[in-house]
Amino acid sequence: MAVSRRIGNTEIFALTDAEGGFFTHRHDAFPAATPEQWRAADRFDPGAVTTEGRWWLQFRCFAVRTAGGVTMIDTGVGPADSPAASWAPVPGRLPEELAEVGISPDDVTRVVMTHLHTDHIGWSVTRRDDRLLPFFPNAEYLLQAAELAAVRELNPHLRHTLIAPLQEAGRLRVVDGDERLSPELRAVATPGHTPGHQSVLVDDGTDLVTITGDLLVHPIQLLYPDVAYSHESDPELARRSRVALLHEAAERHGELATPHLTEPFLRVPEGTLPSR
Ligand SMILES: [Zn+2]
């Protein structure tokens, strides 16, 4: 059963589309991390490392159910013919995970695409009669303007396999910077991992859950937010976004909801945050 959290009348479901080993050695993914930092990360999240020392990661999405409808944050690695198929442990199982928590694709009124890496957009569109159509037919799909502008450098194929189908269906909504989505939901620009990366805050004024996206991709970046990931577009900007959002979560004693760490919900550990 999916792990969930509740804030007031808002429910947050963690949905695991897939899990598997990373395609390169983890030391190549975090070249500056020290042996001591790796040991601490492995103690903190033993599920993120295999017995051979490889990075083992979850590919998770979140569904947020409010009175106004269901918002998806990211759509996983996708089916066997998705753009992530060349490297991710596809096929994903998001449709089954949604069914298990009683959510139909028709119930989804909004999809927040945190960024355009292929393990986050896999179920956004689906092939029907040789056409690519929105998998969530009643949803608007939110993307930051800076991310759309960077699609060529991020993945030129996505212009045809994601952006154009959403535009043709009239479902792509491009936003620029922070955006209030509903009384309890806010998209916030957290650039650096990619140029237009965004995260989502679920906040009722008392409790806060921060749905991070790839603000941090591995427990080593939670324990040591200064450690860069080799696939970050702008590591220094990514670091600043990470530190700022982690500070906000820690000050509010809120939980983080992450796509790739073993535990879907966790808090910022005491004493790990560098100054802003
Ligand atoms: Zn990712």
Side-chain angles (χ1 to χ4, degrees):
M1 197 61 195
V3 180
S4 66
R5 289 292 187 270
R6 177 184 280 274
I7 287 187
N9 291 322
T10 303
E11 274 182 297
I12 307 161
F13 297 99
L15 306 171
T16 302
D17 190 41
E19 63 175 302
F22 196 60
F23 61 92
T24 58
H25 198 278
R26 63 185 192 159
H27 295 286
D28 299 328
F30 305 93
T34 66
E36 186 197 344
Q37 290 172 332
W38 282 118
R39 279 195 293 277
D42 292 345
R43 271 196 308 274
F44 179 81
D45 187 353
V49 61
T50 68
T51 47
E52 296 85 40
R54 289 185 69 203
W55 178 13
W56 188 264
L57 69 168
Q58 310 296 308
F59 295 89
R60 197 181 281 125
C61 328
F62 293 88
V64 181
R65 185 155 61 194
T66 66
V70 175
T71 296
M72 289 296 304
I73 290 88
D74 288 336
T75 63
V77 298
D81 63 347
S82 76
S86 61
W87 68 275
V90 288
R93 46 170 278 115
L94 181 63
E96 291 91 332
E97 291 269 301
L98 282 168
E100 280 171 25
V101 297
I103 295 172
S104 146
D106 292 348
D107 300 335
V108 176
T109 53
R110 186 186 295 115
V111 176
V112 176
M113 298 187 283
T114 62
H115 65 295
L116 290 179
H117 284 160
T118 54
D119 56 322
H120 293 260
I121 52 90
W123 290 100
S124 293
V125 297
T126 186
R127 195 172 289 282
R128 236 177 262 136
D129 303 330
D130 231 30
R131 287 183 63 205
L132 286 169
L133 299 170
F135 182 79
F136 301 99
N138 301 318
E140 58 172 17
Y141 287 69
L142 260 79
L143 189 64
Q144 287 285 330
E147 195 73 356
L148 182 59
V151 63
R152 254 173 229 271
E153 67 179 82
L154 289 167
N155 188 334
H157 300 293
L158 292 183
R159 284 183 298 161
H160 311 293
T161 57
L162 176 72
I163 302 299
L166 292 177
Q167 281 173 329
E168 282 159 22
R171 292 291 170 185
L172 186 67
R173 182 172 151 212
V174 180
V175 296
D176 195 359
D178 296 359
E179 182 83 11
R180 179 160 293 284
L181 307 175
S182 72
E184 53 284 281
L185 275 183
R186 199 152 40 101
V188 292
T190 47
H193 179 77
T194 56
H197 188 276
Q198 60 186 338
S199 306
V200 174
L201 307 184
V202 186
D203 186 357
D204 72 349
T206 305
D207 293 317
L208 169 71
V209 172
T210 302
I211 304 175
T212 61
D214 277 359
L215 192 75
L216 65 159
V217 299
H218 187 280
I220 205 161
Q221 290 190 300
L222 178 59
L223 298 182
Y224 306 98
D226 288 344
V227 170
Y229 171 51
S230 57
H231 297 283
E232 285 165 345
S233 295
D234 182 337
E236 173 50 24
L237 185 57
R239 189 195 69 81
R240 286 206 304 272
S241 290
R242 184 161 52 246
V243 169
L245 212 66
L246 292 180
H247 267 289
E248 189 177 344
E251 280 159 17
R252 297 275 309 273
H253 305 290
E255 283 190 297
L256 307 173
T258 78
H260 297 308
L261 275 55
T262 305
E263 292 298 324
F265 297 99
L266 73 180
R267 286 177 205 280
V268 180
E270 298 262 344
T272 56
L273 282 175
S275 55
R276 278 182 239 225

